[in-house]
């Protein structure tokens, strides 16, 4: 029986804007998404029938509620597969963090099973299937630096960002994306992203312009309702980190830093003062 290993990469948002609410309740967004090196490790083992799943994290379901299980089940149904799979996930991506951890696992399972079961589906076909599981899944299949529109599933790849070192801080609390969107109010937003300026910064590989244009309108909502996230952001700024932004709906905060040495120093310093997970990583290409 075949066995394959895959990495499922997390993402951050370099910008995130909410343009409005659609009649179906979804929010219309415009955001630049970026894959990062931080990843879960996924092992797919072929078995005679059925889907088994094993995850090493107390907050992640070990059953059909796992997004990776749902990805396998969807692929089995749509491709009429006469085989099964055992999925093992070693989680490194913080959970309910704004880093698309679950979506990334689902994306890796779609890509991986397409290979394991020799289904021959194109990337585009996998992305279309992925959009049935969650708005971030198509991006996780594509990876890299991408402008996302609509509900986040209309993807336009842009020039890739140079590799930049990052410090991530995931505060102890978990936040659901749904909760933050339901509390979204334009009145709470202090600054809107300037998409053109950020795209110019990325195209010119100008880190200063990129840092100056890191804006996420959901950050204002999360910081308003969760003051402990604001406190951690303040602590990061006081340490001298110049550009700190929340990813997605939070609560993870990230800072772009100039070298891996600086990242390591900041990680050690933050670990001693912050209640949460502190991780040093870098921007990456994703899949
Ligand atoms: P996004 O950035 O896409 O909004 P997130 O990073 O905020 O996602 P996830 O880590 O994907 O959030 O977790 C959200 C919820 O999904 C968790 O409460 C978790 O129980 C559930 N979940 C289901 N499958 C997974 C999985 N494979 N990995 C992590 N969480 C999962």
């Amino acid at each position: 029986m075949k066995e394959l290993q895959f990495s499922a990469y997390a993402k951050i948002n370099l910008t995130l804007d909410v343009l409005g609410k659609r009649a179906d309740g979804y929010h219309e967004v415009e955001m630049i998404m970026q894959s990062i090196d931080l990843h879960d490790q996924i092992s797919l083992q072929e078995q005679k029938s059925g889907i088994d799943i094993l995850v090493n994290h107390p907050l992640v379901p070990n059953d059909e509620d796992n997004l990776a299980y749902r990805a396998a089940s969807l692929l089995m149904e749509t491709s009429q597969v006469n085989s099964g799979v055992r999925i093992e996930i070693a989680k490194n991506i913080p959970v309910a963090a704004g880093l698309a951890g679950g979506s990334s696992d689902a994306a890796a399972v779609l890509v991986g099973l397409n290979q394991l079961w020799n289904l021959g589906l194109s990337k585009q076909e996998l992305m279309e299937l992925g959009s049935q599981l969650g708005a971030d899944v198509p991006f996780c299949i594509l990876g890299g630096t991408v402008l996302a529109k609509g509900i986040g599933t209309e993807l336009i790849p842009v020039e890739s960002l140079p590799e930049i070192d990052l410090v991530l801080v995931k505060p102890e609390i978990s936040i659901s994306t749904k909760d933050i969107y339901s509390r979204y109010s334009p009145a709470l937003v202090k600054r809107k992203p300037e998409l053109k300026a950020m795209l110019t910064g990325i195209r010119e590989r100008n880190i200063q312009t990129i840092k100056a244009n890191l804006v996420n309108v959901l950050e204002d909502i999360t910081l308003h309702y969760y003051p402990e996230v604001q406190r951690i952001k303040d602590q990061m700024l006081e340490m001298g980190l110049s550009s700190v932004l929340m990813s997605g709906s939070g609560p993870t905060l990230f800072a772009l830093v100039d070298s891996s040495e600086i990242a390591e120093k900041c990680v050690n310093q933050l670990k001693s003062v912050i209640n949460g997970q502190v991780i040093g990583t870098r921007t990456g290409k994703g899949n």
Side-chain angles (χ1 to χ4, degrees):
M1 290 279 176
K2 263 197 286 183
E3 177 174 348
L4 296 174
Q5 305 281 341
F6 293 88
S7 299
Y9 294 95
K11 62 86 184 161
I12 53 174
N13 296 87
L14 302 177
T15 63
L16 193 161
D17 201 0
V18 174
L19 304 182
K21 200 171 176 184
R22 309 193 317 183
D24 60 9
Y26 279 101
H27 284 86
E28 190 88 23
V29 295
E30 188 174 72
M31 55 193 178
I32 300 179
M33 305 173 87
Q34 173 66 48
S35 300
I36 63 173
D37 275 355
L38 176 69
H39 58 272
D40 293 341
Q41 202 58 45
I42 308 223
S43 144
L44 301 176
Q45 287 168 260
E46 207 174 11
Q47 63 183 20
K48 277 215 176 89
S49 63
I51 303 167
D52 289 320
I53 188 155
L54 187 69
V55 193
N56 66 342
H57 195 292
L59 298 178
V60 179
N62 256 309
D63 56 23
E64 63 276 6
D65 284 338
N66 194 300
L67 211 51
Y69 184 109
R70 290 178 43 213
S73 169
L74 179 66
L75 204 54
M76 250 175 155
E77 263 170 46
T78 52
S79 302
Q80 283 122 35
V81 174
N82 279 323
S83 178
V85 66
R86 175 184 166 83
I87 304 169
E88 276 185 36
I89 306 178
K91 290 281 321 167
N92 297 309
I93 305 172
V95 175
L99 298 171
S103 305
S104 162
D105 293 346
V109 165
L110 290 178
V111 171
L113 288 180
N114 187 38
Q115 218 172 298
L116 191 80
W117 290 334
N118 291 316
L119 301 177
L121 296 171
S122 67
K123 205 171 224 191
Q124 194 56 42
E125 287 171 312
L126 292 173
M127 285 162 65
E128 272 159 31
L129 274 180
S131 67
Q132 297 178 37
L133 299 164
D136 285 345
V137 179
F139 166 76
C140 293
I141 292 174
L142 190 60
T145 312
V146 171
L147 171 61
K149 295 183 175 207
I151 60 163
T153 55
E154 293 165 29
L155 305 179
I156 305 159
V158 299
E159 282 86 351
S160 44
L161 204 67
E163 272 195 10
I164 305 174
D165 286 283
L166 295 172
V167 175
L168 303 185
V169 178
K170 155 71 173 56
E172 260 319 282
I173 52 163
S174 294
I175 292 184
S176 93
T177 306
K178 221 172 141 195
D179 170 49
I180 297 304
Y181 273 105
S182 70
R183 294 176 189 231
Y184 179 77
S185 151
L188 289 173
V189 173
K190 297 188 181 123
R191 186 180 169 199
K192 298 278 267 181
E194 288 167 49
L195 186 63
K196 269 197 183 153
M198 180 56 107
L199 289 172
T200 303
I202 293 171
R203 195 170 49 245
E204 294 174 351
R205 301 170 85 81
N206 183 331
I207 308 288
Q208 289 320 317
T209 306
I210 293 168
K211 282 186 176 179
N213 282 286
L214 292 168
V215 181
N216 174 354
V217 297
L218 296 182
E219 185 183 67
D220 293 320
I221 315 304
T222 304
L223 297 186
H224 178 80
Y225 288 104
Y226 297 90
E228 57 266 58
V229 184
Q230 176 73 61
R231 270 197 299 279
I232 292 177
K233 177 163 178 167
D234 292 343
Q235 280 175 296
M236 293 172 77
L237 292 169
E238 279 159 22
M239 267 184 58
L241 291 166
S242 57
S243 51
V244 179
L245 189 73
M246 192 184 79
S247 182
S249 54
T252 301
L253 298 160
F254 67 90
L256 307 187
V257 295
D258 294 336
S259 69
S260 53
E261 289 77 25
I262 298 177
E264 200 184 325
K265 209 174 119 215
C266 293
V267 165
N268 289 334
Q269 238 174 303
L270 284 162
K271 274 186 176 162
S272 61
V273 293
I274 275 167
N275 190 18
Q277 285 169 271
V278 186
I279 297 167
T281 183
R282 47 191 8 220
T283 57
K285 292 193 180 4
N287 290 304

